[in-house]
């Protein structure tokens, strides 16, 4: 008799194209890892049965690590559109005996879309940042699509909030 073990395959991938709803907040863990947090809004519109235009907005908590986190803090701002790829993660913490949960997107790739929103002059259009390689960081390279390494080897103890 042949017994086959069933392999379980799973995928945890999120793609978000939206606008930042908050300014990026950059912090460093006790071990020195950069972590950037911000929220992104995605919206969809439709016309209902009565002909009225409707819109629904979803808010997403984003967490970016390493060099990509520092670049997000430097080049993204509230209102700026960007493309993100990553995975969902849920964290739990206890405060005053109460368990709290949050679900966020652990971002691995960021592509800056278009120019910055009002007032932000430090933007670079269509720049792509992810965990693949480490090019030089002179200003001429900032306007091209390329990947930047990040250290995603962290534990929940490294999260500074």
């Amino acid at each position: 008799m042949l017994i086959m073990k069933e392999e379980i395959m799973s995928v945890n991938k999120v793609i978000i194209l939206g606008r930042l709803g908050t300014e990026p907040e950059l912090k460093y863990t006790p071990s020195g890892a950069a972590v950037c947090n911000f929220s992104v809004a995605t919206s969809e519109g439709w016309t209902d049965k009565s002909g009225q235009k409707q819109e629904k907005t979803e808010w997403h908590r984003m967490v970016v690590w390493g060099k990509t986190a520092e670049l997000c803090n430097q080049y993204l701002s509230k209102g700026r559109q960007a493309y993100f790829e990553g995975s969902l993660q849920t964290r739990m913490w206890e405060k005053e005996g109460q368990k709290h949960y949050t679900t966020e997107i652990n971002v691995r790739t960021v592509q800056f879309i278009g120019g910055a929103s009002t007032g932000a002059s430090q933007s670079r259009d269509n720049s792509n940042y992810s965990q693949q390689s480490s090019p030089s960081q002179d200003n001429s390279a900032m306007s091209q699509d390329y990947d930047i390494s990040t250290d995603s080897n962290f534990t929940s103890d490294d999260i500074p909030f």
Side-chain angles (χ1 to χ4, degrees), residues 41-88:
T42 55
S43 299
E44 74 175 295
W46 70 94
T47 303
D48 66 16
K49 292 177 183 177
S50 64
Q52 297 293 321
K53 290 191 178 199
Q54 302 291 324
E55 184 176 29
K56 178 181 176 185
T57 300
E58 291 287 336
W59 289 94
H60 312 278
R61 294 176 183 265
M62 313 300 273
V63 180
V64 188
W65 292 89
K67 186 65 180 175
T68 305
E70 292 172 338
L71 290 166
C72 283
N73 184 63
Q74 183 178 0
Y75 292 103
L76 290 178
S77 59
K78 183 177 178 179
R80 175 94 190 256
Q81 189 176 34
Y83 170 90
F84 304 93
E85 287 185 24
S87 58
L88 282 178

Side-chain angles (χ1 to χ4, degrees), residues 22-42:
T22 58
E23 291 295 330
E25 180 182 356
L26 182 66
K27 295 181 182 179
Y28 291 89
T29 65
S31 65
V35 59
C36 188
N37 297 281
F38 48 90
S39 64
V40 172
T42 55

Side-chain angles (χ1 to χ4, degrees), residues 104-146:
E104 52 204 10
I105 298 170
N106 186 13
V107 176
R108 291 192 177 83
T109 301
V110 176
Q111 184 170 3
F112 303 157
I113 307 290
S117 62
T118 3
S121 60
Q122 67 218 26
S123 70
R124 301 289 188 263
D125 293 346
N126 298 323
S127 297
N128 185 45
Y129 303 97
S130 73
Q131 310 183 153
Q132 305 304 319
S133 62
S134 287
S136 73
Q137 292 184 8
D138 62 25
N139 287 336
S140 63
M142 294 303 287
S143 63
Q144 302 171 10
D145 287 353
Y146 63 88

